[in-house]
Amino acid sequence: MLNRVILIGRLTRDPELRYTPSGVAVTQFTLAVDRPFTAQGGEREADFIPVVTWRQLAETCANYLRKGRLTAVEGRIQVRNYENNEGKRVYVTEVIADNVRFLESSNREGGSGGGGGSTPREEPSYGGGGRGGNNNYSRNNSNQDPFSDDGKPIDISDDDLPF
């Protein structure tokens, strides 16, 4: 059996960081993911998918992600249910993320991802949760922008491709 999901979309609002009574960090945010087709009126539609992160990954997402930021999420789908105040059973489907990648620089000109604070110049990939809790920070830990040659062709050998 397999339960894996990979999503690329934009945050609809800033992540919400909370702590459980035992002190474990949890962050919730919603990712807007475009559908691959247009509606009859020619308008693009999107799905709004709730995402949950835990522990160090939750704190990292709360610190660096902002509304409008293009983000990739890898995780699993989870369905949970509870009884609301009216006694009605409510079902919630969400993605429990164990890897989050920031796909664009937060300091790009005219960017839609506002928010204050400083962020790293390179875009890290953070993992945790079901992978033993290790953070997979970008191996290139120098302070140079990996996208500084934006717009120029990239010469990649077939030996470098994983497929």
PDB file of all heavy atoms in Angstrom, residues 12-37:
ATOM      1  N   THR A  12      -2.327  30.311   0.651  1.00  0.00           N
ATOM      2  CA  THR A  12      -3.455  31.241   0.618  1.00  0.00           C
ATOM      3  C   THR A  12      -3.389  32.254   1.755  1.00  0.00           C
ATOM      4  O   THR A  12      -4.044  33.292   1.698  1.00  0.00           O
ATOM      5  CB  THR A  12      -4.785  30.482   0.706  1.00  0.00           C
ATOM      6  OG1 THR A  12      -4.832  29.765   1.943  1.00  0.00           O
ATOM      7  CG2 THR A  12      -4.939  29.526  -0.468  1.00  0.00           C
ATOM      8  N   ARG A  13      -2.622  31.948   2.786  1.00  0.00           N
ATOM      9  CA  ARG A  13      -2.418  32.858   3.923  1.00  0.00           C
ATOM     10  C   ARG A  13      -1.172  32.421   4.670  1.00  0.00           C
ATOM     11  O   ARG A  13      -0.628  31.349   4.416  1.00  0.00           O
ATOM     12  CB  ARG A  13      -3.631  32.874   4.848  1.00  0.00           C
ATOM     13  CG  ARG A  13      -3.999  31.517   5.387  1.00  0.00           C
ATOM     14  CD  ARG A  13      -5.311  31.584   6.177  1.00  0.00           C
ATOM     15  NE  ARG A  13      -5.903  30.286   6.309  1.00  0.00           N
ATOM     16  CZ  ARG A  13      -5.581  29.398   7.237  1.00  0.00           C
ATOM     17  NH1 ARG A  13      -4.655  29.680   8.128  1.00  0.00           N
ATOM     18  NH2 ARG A  13      -6.156  28.228   7.301  1.00  0.00           N
ATOM     19  N   ASP A  14      -0.713  33.239   5.583  1.00  0.00           N
ATOM     20  CA  ASP A  14       0.460  32.889   6.377  1.00  0.00           C
ATOM     21  C   ASP A  14       0.162  31.642   7.221  1.00  0.00           C
ATOM     22  O   ASP A  14      -0.972  31.464   7.682  1.00  0.00           O
ATOM     23  CB  ASP A  14       0.849  34.036   7.308  1.00  0.00           C
ATOM     24  CG  ASP A  14       1.442  35.228   6.571  1.00  0.00           C
ATOM     25  OD1 ASP A  14       1.674  35.119   5.355  1.00  0.00           O
ATOM     26  OD2 ASP A  14       1.660  36.265   7.220  1.00  0.00           O
ATOM     27  N   PRO A  15       1.159  30.789   7.444  1.00  0.00           N
ATOM     28  CA  PRO A  15       0.942  29.592   8.272  1.00  0.00           C
ATOM     29  C   PRO A  15       0.590  29.964   9.709  1.00  0.00           C
ATOM     30  O   PRO A  15       1.018  30.992  10.224  1.00  0.00           O
ATOM     31  CB  PRO A  15       2.303  28.885   8.233  1.00  0.00           C
ATOM     32  CG  PRO A  15       3.016  29.444   7.069  1.00  0.00           C
ATOM     33  CD  PRO A  15       2.511  30.841   6.902  1.00  0.00           C
ATOM     34  N   GLU A  16      -0.198  29.101  10.343  1.00  0.00           N
ATOM     35  CA  GLU A  16      -0.564  29.284  11.744  1.00  0.00           C
ATOM     36  C   GLU A  16       0.242  28.301  12.585  1.00  0.00           C
ATOM     37  O   GLU A  16       0.105  27.093  12.432  1.00  0.00           O
ATOM     38  CB  GLU A  16      -2.050  28.999  11.954  1.00  0.00           C
ATOM     39  CG  GLU A  16      -2.973  29.964  11.256  1.00  0.00           C
ATOM     40  CD  GLU A  16      -4.446  29.578  11.457  1.00  0.00           C
ATOM     41  OE1 GLU A  16      -4.740  28.779  12.364  1.00  0.00           O
ATOM     42  OE2 GLU A  16      -5.266  30.065  10.682  1.00  0.00           O
ATOM     43  N   LEU A  17       1.083  28.817  13.465  1.00  0.00           N
ATOM     44  CA  LEU A  17       1.900  27.980  14.348  1.00  0.00           C
ATOM     45  C   LEU A  17       1.227  27.881  15.707  1.00  0.00           C
ATOM     46  O   LEU A  17       0.858  28.902  16.302  1.00  0.00           O
ATOM     47  CB  LEU A  17       3.304  28.569  14.507  1.00  0.00           C
ATOM     48  CG  LEU A  17       4.232  27.870  15.492  1.00  0.00           C
ATOM     49  CD1 LEU A  17       4.546  26.450  15.026  1.00  0.00           C
ATOM     50  CD2 LEU A  17       5.517  28.667  15.665  1.00  0.00           C
ATOM     51  N   ARG A  18       1.068  26.651  16.180  1.00  0.00           N
ATOM     52  CA  ARG A  18       0.513  26.401  17.510  1.00  0.00           C
ATOM     53  C   ARG A  18       1.350  25.324  18.179  1.00  0.00           C
ATOM     54  O   ARG A  18       2.171  24.670  17.534  1.00  0.00           O
ATOM     55  CB  ARG A  18      -0.937  25.939  17.414  1.00  0.00           C
ATOM     56  CG  ARG A  18      -1.837  27.002  16.830  1.00  0.00           C
ATOM     57  CD  ARG A  18      -3.268  26.595  16.878  1.00  0.00           C
ATOM     58  NE  ARG A  18      -4.070  27.688  16.310  1.00  0.00           N
ATOM     59  CZ  ARG A  18      -5.261  27.543  15.828  1.00  0.00           C
ATOM     60  NH1 ARG A  18      -5.828  26.369  15.822  1.00  0.00           N
ATOM     61  NH2 ARG A  18      -5.913  28.575  15.348  1.00  0.00           N
ATOM     62  N   TYR A  19       1.119  25.131  19.452  1.00  0.00           N
ATOM     63  CA  TYR A  19       1.815  24.100  20.218  1.00  0.00           C
ATOM     64  C   TYR A  19       0.790  23.238  20.935  1.00  0.00           C
ATOM     65  O   TYR A  19      -0.195  23.752  21.463  1.00  0.00           O
ATOM     66  CB  TYR A  19       2.788  24.723  21.224  1.00  0.00           C
ATOM     67  CG  TYR A  19       3.960  25.401  20.551  1.00  0.00           C
ATOM     68  CD1 TYR A  19       3.900  26.737  20.187  1.00  0.00           C
ATOM     69  CD2 TYR A  19       5.113  24.681  20.267  1.00  0.00           C
ATOM     70  CE1 TYR A  19       4.974  27.341  19.555  1.00  0.00           C
ATOM     71  CE2 TYR A  19       6.193  25.282  19.643  1.00  0.00           C
ATOM     72  CZ  TYR A  19       6.112  26.610  19.288  1.00  0.00           C
ATOM     73  OH  TYR A  19       7.171  27.204  18.662  1.00  0.00           O
ATOM     74  N   THR A  20       1.038  21.936  20.936  1.00  0.00           N
ATOM     75  CA  THR A  20       0.172  21.024  21.677  1.00  0.00           C
ATOM     76  C   THR A  20       0.413  21.235  23.167  1.00  0.00           C
ATOM     77  O   THR A  20       1.403  21.863  23.559  1.00  0.00           O
ATOM     78  CB  THR A  20       0.479  19.556  21.309  1.00  0.00           C
ATOM     79  OG1 THR A  20       1.798  19.241  21.747  1.00  0.00           O
ATOM     80  CG2 THR A  20       0.336  19.318  19.815  1.00  0.00           C
ATOM     81  N   PRO A  21      -0.460  20.721  24.035  1.00  0.00           N
ATOM     82  CA  PRO A  21      -0.228  20.860  25.485  1.00  0.00           C
ATOM     83  C   PRO A  21       1.119  20.288  25.931  1.00  0.00           C
ATOM     84  O   PRO A  21       1.692  20.746  26.918  1.00  0.00           O
ATOM     85  CB  PRO A  21      -1.394  20.078  26.100  1.00  0.00           C
ATOM     86  CG  PRO A  21      -2.475  20.153  25.071  1.00  0.00           C
ATOM     87  CD  PRO A  21      -1.774  20.129  23.747  1.00  0.00           C
ATOM     88  N   SER A  22       1.640  19.311  25.196  1.00  0.00           N
ATOM     89  CA  SER A  22       2.943  18.739  25.565  1.00  0.00           C
ATOM     90  C   SER A  22       4.109  19.499  24.925  1.00  0.00           C
ATOM     91  O   SER A  22       5.256  19.083  25.051  1.00  0.00           O
ATOM     92  CB  SER A  22       2.996  17.260  25.172  1.00  0.00           C
ATOM     93  OG  SER A  22       2.825  17.120  23.777  1.00  0.00           O
ATOM     94  N   GLY A  23       3.822  20.598  24.216  1.00  0.00           N
ATOM     95  CA  GLY A  23       4.881  21.447  23.684  1.00  0.00           C
ATOM     96  C   GLY A  23       5.353  21.118  22.279  1.00  0.00           C
ATOM     97  O   GLY A  23       6.380  21.633  21.841  1.00  0.00           O
ATOM     98  N   VAL A  24       4.628  20.287  21.542  1.00  0.00           N
ATOM     99  CA  VAL A  24       5.016  19.928  20.176  1.00  0.00           C
ATOM    100  C   VAL A  24       4.460  20.968  19.207  1.00  0.00           C
ATOM    101  O   VAL A  24       3.263  21.283  19.233  1.00  0.00           O
ATOM    102  CB  VAL A  24       4.499  18.517  19.806  1.00  0.00           C
ATOM    103  CG1 VAL A  24       4.850  18.177  18.372  1.00  0.00           C
ATOM    104  CG2 VAL A  24       5.063  17.487  20.757  1.00  0.00           C
ATOM    105  N   ALA A  25       5.325  21.499  18.340  1.00  0.00           N
ATOM    106  CA  ALA A  25       4.919  22.519  17.372  1.00  0.00           C
ATOM    107  C   ALA A  25       4.116  21.889  16.235  1.00  0.00           C
ATOM    108  O   ALA A  25       4.447  20.810  15.741  1.00  0.00           O
ATOM    109  CB  ALA A  25       6.142  23.222  16.803  1.00  0.00           C
ATOM    110  N   VAL A  26       3.051  22.568  15.821  1.00  0.00           N
ATOM    111  CA  VAL A  26       2.240  22.141  14.687  1.00  0.00           C
ATOM    112  C   VAL A  26       1.848  23.389  13.886  1.00  0.00           C
ATOM    113  O   VAL A  26       1.473  24.406  14.463  1.00  0.00           O
ATOM    114  CB  VAL A  26       0.997  21.324  15.123  1.00  0.00           C
ATOM    115  CG1 VAL A  26       0.100  22.110  16.052  1.00  0.00           C
ATOM    116  CG2 VAL A  26       0.226  20.830  13.911  1.00  0.00           C
ATOM    117  N   THR A  27       2.002  23.309  12.581  1.00  0.00           N
ATOM    118  CA  THR A  27       1.657  24.427  11.708  1.00  0.00           C
ATOM    119  C   THR A  27       0.616  23.965  10.704  1.00  0.00           C
ATOM    120  O   THR A  27       0.715  22.862  10.161  1.00  0.00           O
ATOM    121  CB  THR A  27       2.899  24.940  10.951  1.00  0.00           C
ATOM    122  OG1 THR A  27       3.864  25.364  11.906  1.00  0.00           O
ATOM    123  CG2 THR A  27       2.564  26.102  10.059  1.00  0.00           C
ATOM    124  N   GLN A  28      -0.364  24.822  10.447  1.00  0.00           N
ATOM    125  CA  GLN A  28      -1.378  24.557   9.440  1.00  0.00           C
ATOM    126  C   GLN A  28      -1.367  25.683   8.422  1.00  0.00           C
ATOM    127  O   GLN A  28      -1.250  26.855   8.787  1.00  0.00           O
ATOM    128  CB  GLN A  28      -2.759  24.461  10.072  1.00  0.00           C
ATOM    129  CG  GLN A  28      -2.905  23.288  11.021  1.00  0.00           C
ATOM    130  CD  GLN A  28      -4.267  23.253  11.664  1.00  0.00           C
ATOM    131  OE1 GLN A  28      -4.742  24.252  12.175  1.00  0.00           O
ATOM    132  NE2 GLN A  28      -4.891  22.086  11.643  1.00  0.00           N
ATOM    133  N   PHE A  29      -1.479  25.318   7.135  1.00  0.00           N
ATOM    134  CA  PHE A  29      -1.635  26.298   6.077  1.00  0.00           C
ATOM    135  C   PHE A  29      -2.382  25.649   4.938  1.00  0.00           C
ATOM    136  O   PHE A  29      -2.558  24.429   4.899  1.00  0.00           O
ATOM    137  CB  PHE A  29      -0.293  26.889   5.630  1.00  0.00           C
ATOM    138  CG  PHE A  29       0.728  25.884   5.159  1.00  0.00           C
ATOM    139  CD1 PHE A  29       0.807  25.516   3.820  1.00  0.00           C
ATOM    140  CD2 PHE A  29       1.636  25.339   6.051  1.00  0.00           C
ATOM    141  CE1 PHE A  29       1.758  24.605   3.393  1.00  0.00           C
ATOM    142  CE2 PHE A  29       2.598  24.429   5.629  1.00  0.00           C
ATOM    143  CZ  PHE A  29       2.656  24.064   4.291  1.00  0.00           C
ATOM    144  N   THR A  30      -2.861  26.462   4.011  1.00  0.00           N
ATOM    145  CA  THR A  30      -3.606  25.965   2.865  1.00  0.00           C
ATOM    146  C   THR A  30      -2.838  26.280   1.601  1.00  0.00           C
ATOM    147  O   THR A  30      -2.358  27.403   1.423  1.00  0.00           O
ATOM    148  CB  THR A  30      -5.006  26.599   2.808  1.00  0.00           C
ATOM    149  OG1 THR A  30      -5.693  26.297   4.029  1.00  0.00           O
ATOM    150  CG2 THR A  30      -5.813  26.060   1.641  1.00  0.00           C
ATOM    151  N   LEU A  31      -2.728  25.286   0.730  1.00  0.00           N
ATOM    152  CA  LEU A  31      -2.025  25.425  -0.538  1.00  0.00           C
ATOM    153  C   LEU A  31      -3.054  25.484  -1.669  1.00  0.00           C
ATOM    154  O   LEU A  31      -3.912  24.602  -1.772  1.00  0.00           O
ATOM    155  CB  LEU A  31      -1.108  24.220  -0.719  1.00  0.00           C
ATOM    156  CG  LEU A  31       0.182  24.399  -1.484  1.00  0.00           C
ATOM    157  CD1 LEU A  31       1.066  25.443  -0.836  1.00  0.00           C
ATOM    158  CD2 LEU A  31       0.918  23.081  -1.578  1.00  0.00           C
ATOM    159  N   ALA A  32      -2.982  26.523  -2.491  1.00  0.00           N
ATOM    160  CA  ALA A  32      -3.836  26.633  -3.674  1.00  0.00           C
ATOM    161  C   ALA A  32      -3.086  26.006  -4.844  1.00  0.00           C
ATOM    162  O   ALA A  32      -2.015  26.475  -5.228  1.00  0.00           O
ATOM    163  CB  ALA A  32      -4.155  28.092  -3.971  1.00  0.00           C
ATOM    164  N   VAL A  33      -3.651  24.931  -5.396  1.00  0.00           N
ATOM    165  CA  VAL A  33      -3.015  24.184  -6.475  1.00  0.00           C
ATOM    166  C   VAL A  33      -3.889  24.297  -7.716  1.00  0.00           C
ATOM    167  O   VAL A  33      -5.062  23.894  -7.692  1.00  0.00           O
ATOM    168  CB  VAL A  33      -2.825  22.704  -6.078  1.00  0.00           C
ATOM    169  CG1 VAL A  33      -2.173  21.930  -7.206  1.00  0.00           C
ATOM    170  CG2 VAL A  33      -2.015  22.599  -4.797  1.00  0.00           C
ATOM    171  N   ASP A  34      -3.329  24.859  -8.797  1.00  0.00           N
ATOM    172  CA  ASP A  34      -4.093  25.019 -10.038  1.00  0.00           C
ATOM    173  C   ASP A  34      -4.467  23.671 -10.622  1.00  0.00           C
ATOM    174  O   ASP A  34      -3.681  22.727 -10.587  1.00  0.00           O
ATOM    175  CB  ASP A  34      -3.269  25.785 -11.085  1.00  0.00           C
ATOM    176  CG  ASP A  34      -3.164  27.257 -10.764  1.00  0.00           C
ATOM    177  OD1 ASP A  34      -4.026  27.775 -10.019  1.00  0.00           O
ATOM    178  OD2 ASP A  34      -2.219  27.895 -11.261  1.00  0.00           O
ATOM    179  N   ARG A  35      -5.670  23.611 -11.175  1.00  0.00           N
ATOM    180  CA  ARG A  35      -6.086  22.417 -11.910  1.00  0.00           C
ATOM    181  C   ARG A  35      -5.489  22.481 -13.308  1.00  0.00           C
ATOM    182  O   ARG A  35      -5.238  23.576 -13.829  1.00  0.00           O
ATOM    183  CB  ARG A  35      -7.605  22.346 -11.971  1.00  0.00           C
ATOM    184  CG  ARG A  35      -8.215  22.078 -10.607  1.00  0.00           C
ATOM    185  CD  ARG A  35      -9.697  21.902 -10.682  1.00  0.00           C
ATOM    186  NE  ARG A  35     -10.235  21.565  -9.365  1.00  0.00           N
ATOM    187  CZ  ARG A  35     -11.514  21.576  -9.080  1.00  0.00           C
ATOM    188  NH1 ARG A  35     -12.400  21.892 -10.010  1.00  0.00           N
ATOM    189  NH2 ARG A  35     -11.919  21.263  -7.878  1.00  0.00           N
ATOM    190  N   PRO A  36      -5.273  21.326 -13.948  1.00  0.00           N
ATOM    191  CA  PRO A  36      -4.576  21.323 -15.248  1.00  0.00           C
ATOM    192  C   PRO A  36      -5.464  21.705 -16.431  1.00  0.00           C
ATOM    193  O   PRO A  36      -5.047  21.586 -17.565  1.00  0.00           O
ATOM    194  CB  PRO A  36      -4.100  19.866 -15.374  1.00  0.00           C
ATOM    195  CG  PRO A  36      -5.069  19.084 -14.564  1.00  0.00           C
ATOM    196  CD  PRO A  36      -5.474  19.980 -13.429  1.00  0.00           C
ATOM    197  N   PHE A  37      -6.666  22.172 -16.176  1.00  0.00           N
ATOM    198  CA  PHE A  37      -7.573  22.553 -17.263  1.00  0.00           C
ATOM    199  C   PHE A  37      -8.295  23.826 -16.876  1.00  0.00           C
ATOM    200  O   PHE A  37      -8.233  24.267 -15.727  1.00  0.00           O
ATOM    201  CB  PHE A  37      -8.577  21.429 -17.537  1.00  0.00           C
ATOM    202  CG  PHE A  37      -9.321  20.991 -16.304  1.00  0.00           C
ATOM    203  CD1 PHE A  37     -10.471  21.651 -15.887  1.00  0.00           C
ATOM    204  CD2 PHE A  37      -8.869  19.923 -15.549  1.00  0.00           C
ATOM    205  CE1 PHE A  37     -11.139  21.257 -14.741  1.00  0.00           C
ATOM    206  CE2 PHE A  37      -9.528  19.511 -14.406  1.00  0.00           C
ATOM    207  CZ  PHE A  37     -10.680  20.179 -13.995  1.00  0.00           C
TER     208      PHE A  37
END
